Amino acid sequence: MYGDLWFEDYVKKGTDIWFAAGNYNGIYKFDTINRKVKRIATFPCESIAKSWAFRKVGLWKENLLFLPAYADAVYLYDMEYGEFDRIDILDEEELSEYQEKCKFQCFEMYGDWLYLIGHEYHGIIKVNLTSRQVEKINKFPDEAFISNIEPGKPCFGTEMVAENNIIYITCISSNKVLMLDMKNDSIKVIEVGNDKNKYNGICKIGNAYYLKICDNGNIVRWEYGNEDCREIELKFDVHFYDRKLCQTKNYIWVFSYISNEIFRIDKNNFNIIKIQANYPRNSMMLVFCEETQDGIYFVNMYDGEWHFLREDGTDENLHFSLKEPDSAKIMKQFVQENRFKVWKNMRENGVATIEALLLKVNETEHKAENKLYVDYGKVIHDAVAGRGNISV
């Protein structure tokens, strides 16, 4: 809802947390001591109403680095001087083709080079953040079957693993894993598990890699090097092609993104227990997870409430949410932006009556008030891991 903020990734500087809101266009700073939220800036050339514009944020030479999901460019933000630096990475044809698509989900830094792994964008883009040189990797080995993917369909998974100079990337169209060597951009293809499997992401827990199967709730545990590969069956009542994997001291956790279903897997004996989060099944949409040794913080998009899931399976509602400091101003910007769009569309379509314009504006404002209740049908993925707890 308007007023409740959520995010998927953050940078912590001192006692402050910096993030891009998932709800709409904006950079925010949260003071964890005084528990105050401040709106810092709005991304230029991006719609105020664009949800999930950025899903990842990092640091580069003391600048915040925002990686585009639905946004159109990479942004650097100088926290000291309050200045943006926009890096365009798509040509005009690509901007048109991927305008409403989730372009990227994963990224990795290698020296000054930023690697952006395509999701619905069919390829990998690398950007030198010092020289602003942009290169594109769009030729892949035939056995990866990437060339067979229809335009507009997802290409690579929502999570990847980076180890030293190697990135492990899953192919949504097959059971193949790409090993991209960032030293020379060479690519090796490995087949993992059943040849009918299609994987939507990979993570590493302990000595093993875990891959998420698109067509069912199962995950594959794979130990690269000794060919140990097993499929772990997880029966979700509500199927979605993606899940979130986390770990605590003793367990692996598999969250549904779109229901209250959570599986807990014992790291030692692989016993599985199903847990229900403290929500009705169809009133939860996961947008943030952070692991600790003792449990997992998570946020439900629909109400903005923060929870802590303990190792024993207890779901504690922390009765805490981040609030937009000036939700009325955001709402006004949203409505004004849509009024202009309505007027422009009506002029282009030859509609000129004031009565028709007012009807359209009222309809648009009503839709704006309910926008954040809409299930966009897009997967929310990887948030933050291993960077300490958030004080709530």
Side-chain angles (χ1 to χ4, degrees), residues 174-177 190-199 202 209 211 220-224 227-230:
S174 69
N175 68 336
K176 305 299 192 297
V177 174
I190 300 175
E191 184 174 8
V192 179
N194 190 309
D195 60 6
K196 293 184 172 58
N197 287 347
K198 299 175 182 179
Y199 301 122
I202 183 172
Y209 299 90
L211 298 92
V220 169
R221 184 182 187 276
W222 170 51
E223 291 188 26
Y224 177 57
E227 306 308 320
D228 182 14
C229 185
R230 75 174 86 169

Side-chain angles (χ1 to χ4, degrees), residues 80-140:
E80 182 178 356
Y81 296 102
E83 297 175 348
F84 280 102
D85 188 1
R86 174 185 168 115
I87 305 175
D88 291 311
I89 55 176
L90 303 175
D91 59 35
E92 290 187 10
E93 183 177 343
E94 289 173 328
L95 281 172
S96 176
E97 181 178 356
Y98 294 105
Q99 183 60 228
E100 302 300 326
K101 302 294 185 181
C102 181
K103 304 169 187 67
F104 306 96
Q105 293 268 18
C106 307
F107 77 97
E108 182 62 27
M109 289 295 305
Y110 188 72
D112 286 340
W113 286 96
L114 168 68
Y115 283 76
L116 297 109
I117 311 303
H119 182 57
E120 291 181 303
Y121 177 83
H122 287 190
I124 298 170
I125 294 180
K126 50 184 291 192
V127 183
N128 189 300
L129 296 180
T130 298
S131 67
R132 300 300 193 263
Q133 180 182 351
V134 176
E135 297 181 8
K136 297 179 181 179
I137 302 172
N138 49 27
K139 292 183 179 180
F140 302 94

Side-chain angles (χ1 to χ4, degrees), residues 248-260:
T248 53
K249 181 179 180 180
N250 298 301
Y251 301 105
I252 298 168
W253 302 80
V254 185
F255 285 75
S256 167
Y257 278 116
I258 62 169
S259 76
N260 65 344

